[in-house]
Amino acid sequence: MTKFDYTIFKDNSQSEFKKACKLIERSFPDAKKNKLLIDVYGSTIQTYTKDGKDIDVYDDYDVGAVFVKSEIDLDNIFS
């Protein structure tokens, strides 16, 4: 269940997507990085699992933004 949503960048950006992923990796070095998903429209989703909770980073071409949906509070990273 997603509890926290963060808009990282109000347009598609592979570099902003990578920056968001790096911030999560630095903040949670013990989180499991799952396989990168790429849908048929070119949107990318990177999921991390930490203590049984998911953090999903999106570069979504349908929405036209880079955003994070998380079961963990990431205010200290993305605010």
Side-chain angles (χ1 to χ4, degrees):
M1 176 193 321
T2 300
K3 295 181 181 176
F4 304 97
D5 292 304
Y6 304 91
T7 299
I8 307 305
F9 196 70
K10 294 182 189 288
D11 200 354
N12 294 101
S13 171
Q14 198 58 235
S15 65
E16 293 296 325
F17 173 81
K18 288 176 183 175
K19 280 186 206 172
C21 290
K22 291 275 185 235
L23 278 171
I24 291 167
E25 290 167 19
R26 276 191 224 117
S27 299
F28 302 103
D30 58 336
K32 179 181 180 274
K33 183 176 181 177
N34 299 302
K35 185 179 179 215
L36 181 70
L37 301 174
I38 303 172
D39 75 10
V40 294
Y41 304 106
S43 297
T44 52
I45 305 164
Q46 180 62 65
T47 300
Y48 299 89
T49 306
K50 166 105 171 95
D51 300 329
K53 296 182 179 181
D54 288 337
I55 303 169
D56 302 315
V57 183
Y58 297 82
D59 185 6
D60 193 313
Y61 281 87
D62 289 335
V63 174
V66 177
F67 60 94
V68 176
K69 291 187 175 211
S70 177
E71 296 177 325
I72 299 170
D73 182 346
L74 303 176
D75 286 349
N76 60 329
I77 303 172
F78 295 119
S79 53

